[in-house]
Amino acid sequence: MFGPAIAALLVAGATSQIATPRYTAQARVWSDHRSFAAGRDGVQVLSSREFARQVIESHNLAARLANPLGEPANALSGAVSLAGFAAPPEPMPASREALALRTIERGLSVRDAGNGQIAVDFVSPDPRLSADVANAFARNYLELRETRGPFSMDPNGATAAPSPAPVRIIASAVPSTSARWPTPLISSLATGIGTFLLVLGFQAFARRRASTGGQEIGAVPMPELAPQTMQHLPWIGAATGDYADETESPRPFRRFSRERELADLSRLVELRGEAARLVIVTGATADEGIARCAISLGRSLSGAAERRVVIVCLDVAAEPLDALAADPRAPGLTDLLFGVASFSDAIHRENGSRCHVIPPGRGAREASGLVASDRLPLILTALKQTYDHVVVAAPPLGRTEGAERIAALDPTTILVTHPGAMATDAVQAFDALAAQGFGDIAMVTFTPETEAGSLPRAA
C-alpha cells in the first residue's frame, strides 16, 4: 500500500502544478428583430474570425490574449524543469496576433439563447480576461448593429444591412470567483486516485503472476496446494528381487494373474477414498496396455451400484478407447477442450458397464497438445466434483509439457509397466513423474490379455 500511495501523491502533486484553473464569463445581447435568420446570422458574425480580429484590435487585447497566464513559461514547462528534465526546444514562435486568435478560438462560445438573445461565453485562465473579452464582443456587436442594422451573410462572407435596429446589452460579463469544473483540485484528486488504483492493480498482477510461475493470462487457475510428500504406493505384480545372475538386467517375476492384479488395484483405489477421486493411469512408454488398464479399472470400480465412475480418454491415439462409445464419431474430450461441446454432449454411457465415458472425440490425434491445454485442469476439476472416481487414460506424462498442471490436482497416479520389462525403466518413469510433481504413485505390471478383444470385468 505504501508504494501506490507515494505514486498517487506524486502524480496528484504534478497535476496540481500542471492543471490550470479556468474561468467562464458570459455577456448577453438582445435585439427586437424577430427574424430567425437574423439571429442565426448574428451568431455566425460573432463567431467569425474577421470579427474576432476587429475585437482584438479595437480593445487592444492582443498582448493579454497572447499570454493569458501573464507568465513567460507555462506550468507544464515548469513542472518538467522541477522534475530534472530539459524541456524540448520550442518551435518557431508565432506572432502575438496569431496567438491571440488561437486563444479566442479555444475559449469563445456563441449561441442563440432564444427570444432575440445571443449568449457570448469566454473561458480563460484569467477571470478578468474572460469578462473583458465577452464584454468586448458584445459591445462590438452592439456598435455594428446600431450602425448597420440587421444583416445577413452571403456565401462570400459579406454582410448586407438594410436599416438600423434597436439592440442592447442585457447582461454584462463579470469576473467569476470560482473556477470552471473540474477544478485543479478535482483533477488532482482524480489523477491521484486513478494512479493509486493502477499501481495497486499492477502490484496485484505481478504478485499473481509470480505465484503462478509466469502462467499466461487466461490460463486455468491452479489450486494452491501444500507441497506433496512423495508416497510410493505398492507395486502390484512386482518383482520378487530374485534374478538368474547379477549380470542380467532386473526383470519383474510374475506372480499374479490379471484378475488378481485388477482386484488389488481396485482395492487400492477404494481404500484411498477421497484421495483417489482423480486417478491418472499412465505408463513409461506409449502402449495400449495403459488404456486397457484404465478401462478395466473403471469397470471394476463401477461394480458398486452407489459408485459413480467416469473414464476420460486423454490418450486419444489408443485404439481400445475408440470402442467405448456406441458412436465412434460422438463428441468427446477434444470437443470439450476446444469448446465446441458441453459436458452433456461429451459424456456417454460405456457399452459394457455402468461406467460413464468421455471418448477421445473428434479432430485432434496429438495427445501431447491436449495435455498442455489450459482447459484440461478445469474439466478434470469439474468432473471430480461430480463423480466418485475419475479415471483418466493418459499418455506417458513423465516428460510431457503441461503434465505439472495435472499433478497440481493431486491425483492418485497408476504407472503401468510391462511384464518382463527392465525394472530400471519403471524406476526412471517413476522418477520422471515425481519430477513433474506427481506425489502418490502406484506401479502395476498389467498382464496382457490371453484372448484378443476380451476384457476382465469385476463381479
Side-chain angles (χ1 to χ4, degrees):
M1 296 293 288
F2 182 75
I6 291 297
L9 288 174
L10 289 175
V11 173
T15 303
S16 66
Q17 294 296 320
I18 296 172
T20 303
R22 305 186 72 80
Y23 300 87
T24 302
Q26 182 183 95
R28 289 200 176 208
V29 296
W30 174 88
S31 170
D32 67 349
H33 190 77
R34 293 180 173 83
S35 168
F36 171 76
R40 180 190 60 196
D41 292 340
V43 172
Q44 292 178 353
V45 170
L46 281 163
S47 304
S48 68
R49 193 178 183 90
E50 184 59 36
F51 190 80
R53 287 194 181 95
Q54 295 176 11
V55 171
I56 293 171
E57 182 179 353
S58 60
H59 293 273
N60 298 319
L61 294 172
R64 297 175 64 189
L65 287 169
N67 189 10
L69 288 175
E71 299 175 354
N74 60 30
L76 178 58
S77 62
V80 171
S81 300
L82 288 174
F85 299 96
E90 295 186 1
M92 185 68 66
S95 66
R96 188 170 62 178
E97 289 72 17
L99 292 175
L101 278 173
R102 189 181 304 168
T103 303
I104 290 291
E105 291 171 351
R106 291 174 178 174
L108 182 67
S109 174
V110 181
R111 57 189 174 84
D112 187 350
N115 297 324
Q117 297 184 32
I118 298 178
V120 182
D121 296 276
F122 191 74
V123 181
S124 79
D126 183 353
R128 170 61 65 182
L129 176 63
S130 296
D132 290 347
V133 171
N135 288 330
F137 269 80
R139 285 195 293 270
N140 272 41
Y141 180 72
L142 178 66
E143 294 171 1
L144 181 63
R145 286 292 302 272
E146 287 178 342
T147 57
R148 300 187 181 181
F151 41 79
S152 60
M153 300 289 293
D154 64 25
N156 298 320
T159 62
S163 61
V167 63
R168 67 175 183 270
I169 298 176
I170 59 174
S172 296
V174 294
S176 177
T177 57
S178 58
R180 186 183 186 187
W181 195 93
T183 63
L185 176 61
I186 297 297
S187 300
S188 300
L189 288 175
T191 55
I193 293 173
T195 303
F196 176 82
L197 295 176
L198 181 63
V199 175
L200 192 64
F202 179 78
Q203 287 184 344
F205 169 79
R207 286 194 297 267
R208 179 183 175 187
R209 187 170 179 82
S211 66
T212 57
Q215 182 174 313
E216 293 296 327
I217 298 299
V220 177
M222 292 291 101
E224 295 184 5
L225 301 173
Q228 297 296 321
T229 302
M230 175 59 63
Q231 183 177 1
H232 190 168
L233 300 178
W235 187 345
I236 299 172
T240 63
D242 298 329
Y243 302 98
D245 58 61
E246 294 182 356
T247 60
E248 291 186 8
S249 300
R251 298 176 182 272
F253 177 76
R254 302 303 302 151
R255 285 183 175 183
F256 305 127
S257 66
R258 181 168 184 170
E259 290 75 13
R260 180 63 182 273
E261 293 162 357
L262 179 59
D264 290 346
L265 180 58
S266 301
R267 183 61 177 164
L268 172 66
V269 172
E270 292 169 356
L271 290 176
R272 288 182 59 79
E274 288 293 320
R277 292 186 75 90
L278 177 61
V279 180
I280 303 296
V281 182
T282 184
T285 58
D287 186 82
E288 289 187 0
I290 299 173
R292 298 189 184 279
C293 179
I295 296 170
S296 298
L297 177 60
R299 289 173 173 173
S300 176
L301 293 173
S302 67
E306 71 281 358
R307 190 177 294 135
R308 296 165 299 174
V309 180
V310 62
I311 300 174
V312 179
C313 303
L314 181 57
D315 190 359
V316 294
E319 291 186 3
L321 301 176
D322 292 331
L324 291 181
D327 183 1
R329 295 170 300 177
L333 183 61
T334 54
D335 303 272
L336 273 178
L337 293 174
F338 298 145
V340 297
S342 64
F343 280 97
S344 60
D345 297 326
I347 298 176
H348 308 270
R349 177 62 64 89
E350 200 262 319
N351 286 332
S353 71
R354 297 180 61 255
C355 270
H356 285 174
V357 61
I358 299 180
R362 300 163 294 191
R365 280 293 182 263
E366 291 291 335
S368 58
L370 303 182
V371 173
S373 171
D374 289 343
R375 290 176 56 86
L376 180 61
L378 181 62
I379 291 172
L380 295 180
T381 300
L383 292 172
K384 282 176 60 178
Q385 297 170 355
T386 304
Y387 289 92
D388 297 302
H389 296 291
V390 180
V391 180
V392 180
L397 297 177
R399 294 175 178 82
T400 302
E401 181 182 355
E404 69 280 357
R405 296 180 181 178
I406 302 177
L409 301 177
D410 193 21
T412 292
T413 305
I414 308 300
L415 176 60
V416 179
T417 64
H418 300 285
M422 295 178 60
T424 52
D425 292 342
V427 173
Q428 290 175 359
F430 182 96
D431 292 341
L433 287 172
Q436 291 278 29
F438 291 92
D440 298 336
I441 305 174
M443 291 194 290
V444 56
T445 304
F446 209 55
T447 304
E449 295 175 349
T450 56
E451 296 180 11
S454 64
L455 285 174
R457 305 177 188 275

